Amino acid sequence: TSQKKKTYIVHMAKSEMPTSYTEHSNWYDSCLKSVSNSAEMLYTYNNVIHGFSTRLTPDEAESLQTQPGILSVLPEVKYELH
Amino acid sequence: TTRTPEFLGIDKNEGLFPESDSLSDVVIGVLDTGAWPESKSFDDLGLGPVPSSWKGECEISKDFNSSSCNKKLIGARFFSKGYEATLGPIDESKESKSPRDDDGHGTHTSTTAAGSAVDGASLFGYALGTARGMATRARVAVYKVCWLGGCFSADILAGMDKAVDDGVNVLSLSLGGGVSDYYRDSVAIGAFTAMERGILVSCSAGNAGPGSDSLSNVAPWITTVGAGTLDRDFPAYVSLGNGKNFSSVSLYSGKPLPDSLQSFVYAGNASTASNGNLCMMGTLSPEKVAGKIVLCDRGINARVQKGAVVKDAGGAGMILANTAANGEELVADAHLLPATGVGQKTGDLIKSYIFSDPNPTATIIFAGTKVGIQPSPVVAAFSSRGPNSITPEILKPDLIAPGVNILAGWSGAVGPTGLAVDTRRVGFNIISGTSMSCPHVSGLAALLKAAHPDWSPAAIRSALMTTAYNTYKSGQNILDIATGKPSTPFDHGAGHVDPVSALDPGLIYDITADDYLDFLCALKYTPAQISSLAKRNFTCDTKKYSVTDLNYPSFAVPLVTEQSGGDSGSSVVRYTRTLTNVGTPGTYKVSLSSSASESVKISVEPDSLSFSKVNEKLSYTVTFTTSSMPSGTNAFGRLEWSDGKHVVGSPIAISWS
């Protein structure tokens, strides 16, 4: 149960993108694949954050947090109408 | 909405507000449950072409086609990947995988902000009038991020990301989550970028009142809106067998109760369940309630569901009694059976009668719509309250606006109660919440944006706050319905919005994106946390940052009570503010009032500011000299600058913990 996948929002430091990448989305994808072969991006965010959302196990999320260029890996939060 | 334009004074002051060209260039983005495009409130009659800068789209799906959008509803998108990733594929037999609003909430909020005028709008004849949004000529773009199972942050961020890119000018979010640091809160994160791009973000304060520390959406770059009442009511009268009569409220429309008194029973005595008094599903004994009026206690399940439970059990009617959690606040509902809501005190009196009479009887008489109710506004009991639990030095909510019994557009997919068993369909519905007050401010912000296109989001908020009122014409402070006593800045912020005054505030407290970065430094955020919000590298300087230096239009002064045996001397706290002249040259003089002059001394230096030109900036310092007070003590005050024509007011809240 502890390794059940959850949605995370991954904040990237765009300025730290290695020069070998020309598209930040490719860099995001590469970072994600480094911790999970099966994970797919739900959204890529370009304006309000630099980063993406994806489904990861807690271990994968922890591992991703240690990768260079990752600012934070935050679990998804449910909001409610007021 | 009906009545709120009159209540806010924007119906008789149309000439003061911007002409069509500037206002129709303003786009309000609403993140919510989507829109019902067939609503008359989305009629685009008289609107010109969509602004050329607009990059948004009308996303097509099987129940939402290109003609669903027009020159009023200029954008409609939906974001469900986060929702579906967590809860599985959307069941399209229950909700539309499209921007279409199956809930009603999104149609209500978006039409409140910017709906076109619709004559003869009402809910079953209640609240009859011309329904219009606050900014009738502004455009609307909806971003559906909320679904039957809730609103997920991955979708909210995606909606904000797109809205910013599309080119909205105002963002309206009537939703909230738990309290968390700004760098963890998706709404705060998205709002930061929006603010940087000149977009005002208006959010609901939450419905977790009247308890303190109950606010959502408290980031200082967000405009946080609490809720107050209108001067309108929907009275119903409860008559008891002992001859006593009580006032209540209801939106019931249908076959009335018989003229004669009916048998009357307390739900708690008509159930074998320990919580039978709440009229939860399946808890009432039909043989004990059949043909009777049932008294249910408010709480746990939806108010309208209690009515449905009574109806299912064969009850003839329902009286819904508030408990201590709601006090005397009366929220009207379009119940499925003759039903009405009463305050706690009335509920207690009615219960006394039921328990003392072996054969209690009652009836309910419905009396339609009444306007001119005084005092109004009063702060709604449900409206979330300060202090701000994330940054106590920033006073929240910022202000209050109408949020109780608001009529606005509704979805054709659901009845006015939202219950599955409610097969009625209405074009307009009457509901309550800070969800309803938020889009009022969003629409009013659009009016200000059109009138002052060069104003920053902080300037617009400042104008709304410093011109808000916190007293009635009698001079008495706005009341809090939860207590029946005067409300405080922790309840109403700067006060109730006054859009006509906000058009010409005289002075404003402006805040730039860099100022907010300094604020984050003062919070001792790490570079990564700041970068998450600002999306760029920013290194805090070695200089001393202070949260209290943020040029906010209000003052919150949190103090720590000294422990016994410690130094019992007074403490001195200084706040610096800068005012920008947006009016004519003039000299402003300061005045102060405080509820606790013995424990707090407040001084302002200088006490006079002379502005010789537009956009001139002048600073002042407020010094709070306070004595130690017991933990939990609060003191309140108000600081006003006036040139004789304008009054630029700021609330003060001092708290000891």
Side-chain angles (χ1 to χ4, degrees):
Chain A
T1 305
S2 63
Q3 291 306 303
K4 197 175 168 187
K5 286 199 172 191
K6 293 198 301 187
T7 301
Y8 290 87
I9 295 166
V10 182
H11 292 248
M12 305 287 289
K14 204 171 174 181
S15 61
E16 292 180 29
M17 183 172 79
T19 52
S20 54
Y21 294 96
T22 52
E23 290 289 328
H24 63 271
S25 57
N26 293 339
W27 176 46
Y28 297 169
D29 195 48
S30 175
C31 289
L32 180 57
K33 289 291 179 286
S34 72
V35 300
S36 171
N37 285 325
S38 61
E40 292 183 1
M41 287 186 202
L42 298 173
Y43 296 105
T44 301
Y45 305 105
N46 300 312
N47 296 293
V48 294
I49 69 165
H50 294 147
F52 59 93
S53 48
T54 187
R55 301 278 290 173
L56 297 171
T57 65
D59 281 354
E60 289 167 345
E62 198 174 317
S63 175
L64 186 59
Q65 178 74 70
T66 64
Q67 304 289 314
I70 305 287
L71 291 170
S72 61
V73 181
L74 301 175
E76 182 171 60
V77 175
K78 191 172 149 188
Y79 289 68
E80 291 180 347
L81 295 166
H82 281 155
Chain B
T1 71
T2 54
R3 193 64 188 170
T4 59
E6 292 92 332
F7 190 71
L8 295 169
I10 57 175
D11 62 324
K12 291 199 175 77
N13 292 282
E14 296 271 15
L16 294 174
F17 289 97
E19 293 302 315
S20 58
D21 284 352
S22 57
L23 185 52
S24 62
D25 282 345
V26 177
V27 183
I28 304 176
V30 182
L31 273 77
D32 210 296
T33 61
W36 188 261
E38 293 80 11
S39 168
K40 289 180 182 174
S41 298
F42 292 125
D43 192 309
D44 65 355
L45 187 69
L47 284 173
V50 172
S52 56
S53 59
W54 179 243
K55 295 198 290 177
E57 280 182 27
C58 195
E59 292 184 353
I60 308 302
S61 60
K62 66 182 181 187
D63 65 356
F64 209 92
N65 54 45
S66 58
S67 65
S68 297
C69 289
N70 58 14
K71 288 181 281 187
K72 166 57 75 176
L73 182 62
I74 65 170
R77 299 183 186 270
F78 66 99
F79 302 87
S80 61
K81 290 177 185 173
Y83 176 67
E84 293 189 287
T86 300
L87 296 180
I90 285 171
D91 180 349
E92 294 191 58
S93 70
K94 291 182 178 161
E95 56 185 332
S96 304
K97 193 171 177 178
S98 79
R100 182 169 289 279
D101 177 17
D102 308 302
D103 178 281
H105 191 279
T107 304
H108 201 280
T109 54
S110 53
T111 59
T112 296
S116 300
V118 180
D119 291 333
S122 76
L123 171 66
F124 305 133
Y126 287 105
L128 177 67
T130 298
R132 51 161 284 190
M134 297 302 100
T136 48
R137 300 192 68 81
R139 319 289 182 143
V140 179
V142 296
Y143 298 84
K144 183 174 175 180
V145 297
C146 293
W147 306 83
L148 282 177
C151 326
F152 288 79
S153 57
D155 296 328
I156 294 170
L157 262 185
M160 295 181 90
D161 201 68
K162 213 63 180 162
V164 166
D165 201 36
D166 285 346
V168 302
N169 304 105
V170 175
L171 267 175
S172 188
L173 288 88
S174 290
L175 50 83
V179 178
S180 60
D181 283 311
Y182 308 131
Y183 64 88
R184 289 181 168 275
D185 179 351
S186 292
V187 170
I189 292 167
F192 195 94
T193 300
M195 170 275 298
E196 283 185 307
R197 301 202 187 179
I199 300 164
L200 182 136
V201 183
S202 166
C203 291
S204 47
N207 302 335
S212 59
D213 301 283
S214 52
L215 293 162
S216 304
N217 302 317
V218 294
W221 47 91
I222 289 172
T223 300
T224 312
V225 188
T229 62
L230 286 176
D231 65 340
R232 180 175 66 189
D233 214 345
F234 306 103
Y237 302 101
V238 175
S239 295
L240 302 181
N242 62 3
K244 291 190 174 167
N245 297 305
F246 297 99
S247 291
S248 62
V249 299
S250 180
L251 296 172
Y252 171 72
S253 174
K255 193 178 170 190
L257 287 165
D259 290 339
S260 58
L261 292 165
Q262 306 295 300
S263 292
F264 190 23
V265 64
Y266 179 53
N269 294 339
S271 169
T272 54
S274 59
N275 61 353
N277 60 315
L278 296 174
C279 297
M280 308 277 279
M281 291 268 274
T283 60
L284 293 180
S285 304
E287 66 276 12
K288 292 184 178 172
V289 304
K292 297 178 182 174
I293 294 174
V294 181
L295 179 74
C296 302
D297 283 324
R298 194 167 160 188
I300 310 294
N301 61 333
R303 300 182 302 273
V304 288
Q305 192 187 49
K306 293 172 192 285
V309 168
V310 172
K311 189 179 182 194
D312 274 356
M318 178 182 73
I319 295 169
L320 180 59
N322 280 0
T323 61
N326 315 105
E328 299 309 304
E329 178 169 77
L330 299 177
V331 181
D333 294 302
H335 289 284
L336 291 163
L337 83 172
T340 193
V342 298
Q344 183 191 12
K345 289 176 188 166
T346 298
D348 289 346
L349 291 170
I350 294 174
K351 282 177 207 170
S352 299
Y353 162 67
I354 292 183
F355 299 148
S356 63
D357 192 309
N359 294 301
T361 55
T363 193
I364 309 167
I365 297 153
F366 301 95
T369 305
K370 190 175 175 188
V371 295
I373 303 294
Q374 297 300 336
S376 60
V378 295
V379 178
F382 62 74
S383 189
S384 289
R385 316 302 173 95
N388 176 341
S389 56
I390 302 291
T391 318
E393 295 84 356
I394 303 295
L395 181 65
K396 293 280 182 172
D398 290 314
L399 75 174
I400 61 169
V404 179
N405 295 334
I406 303 300
L407 177 137
W410 197 245
S411 167
V414 65
T417 62
L419 297 172
V421 294
D422 189 353
T423 55
R424 300 171 297 178
R425 293 295 178 263
V426 294
F428 295 88
N429 197 10
I430 296 172
I431 53 174
S432 300
T434 53
S435 275
M436 284 65 248
S437 55
C438 165
H440 275 90
V441 167
S442 308
L444 298 174
L447 291 177
L448 291 194
K449 180 73 182 172
H452 305 285
D454 56 330
W455 281 10
S456 69
I460 293 171
R461 177 179 57 193
S462 174
L464 291 167
M465 287 175 65
T466 61
T467 57
Y469 62 95
N470 61 1
T471 59
Y472 302 115
K473 284 177 185 163
S474 65
Q476 188 193 17
N477 284 331
I478 288 175
L479 296 177
D480 178 358
I481 202 165
T483 60
K485 295 175 180 170
S487 58
T488 75
F490 285 143
D491 310 318
H492 61 237
H496 192 278
V497 68
D498 178 1
V500 176
S501 297
L503 274 174
D504 179 21
L507 307 173
I508 50 122
Y509 294 87
D510 206 359
I511 307 176
T512 66
D514 284 346
D515 296 331
Y516 287 117
L517 290 173
D518 288 350
F519 169 80
L520 298 177
C521 291
L523 292 179
K524 298 193 170 19
Y525 274 27
T526 66
Q529 290 163 349
I530 293 177
S531 191
S532 289
L533 281 157
K535 307 174 306 305
R536 56 190 157 101
N537 291 331
F538 181 82
T539 306
C540 297
D541 204 340
T542 53
K543 73 177 182 182
K544 186 171 180 285
Y545 292 96
S546 175
V547 172
T548 60
D549 283 344
L550 188 70
N551 199 35
Y552 219 72
S554 55
F555 297 90
V557 187
L559 300 166
V560 177
T561 300
E562 288 155 10
Q563 301 300 306
S564 61
D567 179 3
S568 60
S570 62
S571 59
V572 177
V573 186
R574 290 189 176 84
Y575 284 47
T576 300
R577 294 289 188 266
T578 301
L579 283 160
T580 305
N581 181 30
V582 293
T584 52
T587 297
Y588 285 78
K589 295 190 185 314
V590 77
S591 63
L592 286 159
S593 61
S594 168
S595 66
S597 55
E598 282 125 42
S599 53
V600 183
K601 298 277 185 259
I602 307 172
S603 62
V604 178
E605 181 62 36
D607 62 3
S608 174
L609 296 171
S610 290
F611 295 90
S612 56
K613 57 186 177 186
V614 175
N615 290 327
E616 184 178 3
K617 293 177 187 290
L618 294 173
S619 297
Y620 69 94
T621 300
V622 189
T623 302
F624 300 92
T625 305
T626 59
S627 308
S628 185
M629 295 292 286
S631 177
T633 304
N634 296 321
F636 302 102
R638 188 168 171 84
L639 182 157
E640 290 182 348
W641 291 96
S642 180
D643 64 348
K645 179 187 173 196
H646 305 94
V647 176
V648 187
S650 291
I652 298 169
I654 304 163
S655 53
W656 286 263
S657 59

